Every structure is written in structure tokens, then in C-alpha cells.
Amino acid sequence: MKNRFNVDVKSKALTRVGGRAACRQICGLQPSAQVFAVDGVVGLTEAARLLDERRAFAVAANAIREEEKSRLARELHDELAQSLTALKMDAIWVRDQADAWPAMVAAKLTDMVEMLDRTVAATRRMAADLRPLLLDDLGLAPAIEWLASSFMQRCGIPCRLSINGGLGLELPEPYATAVFRIVQESLNNIAKHAAASQVVVTLDQTLDTVKLVVQDDGCGFFSTAERKPQSLGLMGLRERAQLLGGRVAIRSAPGQGTCIEVSIPLDPMGACG
């Protein structure tokens, strides 16, 4: 036993495996409550550090994904959409010069122009879904206005915006993208499930916090009920906020609509650590 103890000490396995409590026990001393308390604090500190590292890694990975989406959105808009527009102009020219051609050919070219119109619109819609250029070019407030306008056109549901600071509100990345995506996902959830007649989106920024509220007067649900296996929308909202150290509160009841409150602390240096 003595030799084994000597080997353990030389290999420093004692320090790695047991720490001070194990050392006191092997030496014939009972570990004190103070030792256990210190070890517990060290464990909690280590867990907090790992959690911070995990959050920082997730934020960095999300930033990379958003950057790639931005690049792809610009390529779709600048290359594919412009090429299709040029093709449309060529097709119009052929149609206008086809007086001597059979009527069937002219009708076919007209169909081609209509198809190209739909393709150009679909391409631009896909680019906007990946990442709206408004968010990069004009900022968060105009991008949210665009979201609300698209929502009203698509669903016919009035959506009222209240933005503290108006069009001058600015958030650094990754906060602007996170808020935009949370609003986007909230409106998508309302369009799919709420059967609402009105939506109100409120965005407020203070010195150290950004607060977002999305409220509808729809059918509501039991907010304490177990999540459905395929229902990921609300989970996505929480994950986006938690990546930046924020929180999401959801209040809802059947027949009383739903209110989603998001609060995200802002880094004092203007960027996420």
C-alpha cells in the first residue's frame, strides 16, 4: 500500500483524480466541510466557464452561417435574377419581331415571359428568405418593416409596429440578426397557427438591453402543455435568445392570444464576446 501511494504521488494522479479531499483521506485525515465547499465552488466555476465557452462557440457558428446566407443571397439576387431579367428582355424582343411567325409561336413566347416573371419573383423571394438585403443595407428597423409588410400582404392580417427610435434604431451584430430572425419566426408561427386578426410588434432598446414583444389576438394555446414533437418554432426563439444570454417569456391561453417577450442584454463594447 505504501509503494502504491508513492507511485500515485510521483505520477501526480492523486492531484488529478481526487484533489485535496482525496489527499486528506489517504493521509488518514477526514475531509472537512470547508474542503468540500471549496471543491464545490471550483466545480461550479468550471461548469460556468464551459457554459460560456459553449455559448461563444454557438454564437460564432451562427455568425458564420449568417455570413454564408448573406453571400448566397447576393449571388441569387445579382447573378441569377439579373440573368433571368435579361432573358426576359430577349424573349420580349423575339415576340415583338415575330409578325411573320405563326400565332402559336407568339403565344408560346408570351408564356415564356410569364414564366420568367414568376421565376424572377421566386428567386428574389428565396434570396430575401435567406437574408434580406435590407438588413445589411438599411438596418434593422427597415428590415422589420419589410417583414411586417410581407406578412400583411401574405396573410391579410394587420401588423402594427412600435419601434423606439424609429428608423434610427441600430443594433450591432449579432444582435440585429437575432432580433430579425425572432420577429420572422414569430410572424411565421402566427400565420400558421394563430388565426389572429391583429398583431403588434414592439421593439425597444435601452443602454444595456434590447426588448422585443410580439403579441397577437389569435386562438392561443396552453403555454404549459408539452411541446409537440414537430413543433420547433418556439424552441428556435428560445435558442436564438439564449445564445446571446437572453431570455424568452411566452404567455398564452386558449382564446386569449399569445404574447412573446424577448429580452437580450447588450454587450457594453457593442459586440458579443
Side-chain angles (χ1 to χ4, degrees), residues 85-147:
T85 301
L87 181 58
K88 172 187 173 181
M89 295 174 64
D90 290 343
I92 292 175
W93 183 87
V94 171
R95 183 193 62 189
D96 294 340
Q97 300 299 320
D99 293 339
W101 293 9
M104 216 169 143
V105 175
K108 180 63 176 177
L109 289 174
T110 299
D111 292 340
M112 289 173 57
V113 172
E114 294 176 355
M115 182 184 68
L116 288 170
D117 280 337
R118 293 192 298 271
T119 305
V120 170
T123 302
R124 287 175 175 162
R125 185 174 64 252
M126 287 187 293
D129 288 341
L130 286 172
R131 182 175 178 87
L133 301 182
L134 277 175
L135 186 57
D136 293 326
D137 297 339
L138 299 180
L140 179 60
I144 291 181
E145 285 191 340
W146 173 81
L147 274 180

Side-chain angles (χ1 to χ4, degrees), residues 12-60:
K12 298 183 180 180
L14 179 65
T15 302
R16 291 199 302 269
V17 175
R20 285 169 292 185
C23 181
R24 292 173 65 91
Q25 191 173 23
I26 291 176
C27 293
L29 301 175
Q30 292 298 323
S32 66
Q34 182 179 6
V35 171
F36 281 125
V38 170
D39 288 345
V41 171
V42 171
L44 290 175
T45 303
E46 179 68 11
R49 184 185 66 81
L50 292 176
L51 182 61
D52 288 341
E53 289 180 353
R54 179 182 177 188
R55 180 181 295 131
F57 174 81
V59 170

Side-chain angles (χ1 to χ4, degrees), residues 216-227:
D216 68 74
D217 61 353
C219 57
F221 59 93
F222 289 106
S223 57
T224 57
E226 185 177 354
R227 180 181 65 83

Side-chain angles (χ1 to χ4, degrees), residues 55 59 140 171-183 203-213 236-249 261-268 271-272:
R55 180 181 295 131
V59 170
L140 179 60
L171 287 177
E173 291 295 347
Y175 302 103
T177 294
V179 171
F180 176 85
R181 294 299 184 192
I182 290 173
V183 174
L203 180 61
D204 185 20
Q205 177 187 355
T206 63
L207 290 176
D208 58 357
T209 307
V210 57
K211 296 182 178 180
L212 171 70
V213 178
L237 300 183
R238 289 192 174 96
E239 288 181 351
R240 288 188 183 277
Q242 289 172 359
L243 283 176
L244 297 175
R247 60 180 180 82
V248 176
E261 297 182 356
V262 182
S263 178
I264 301 176
L266 296 175
D267 190 285
C272 183

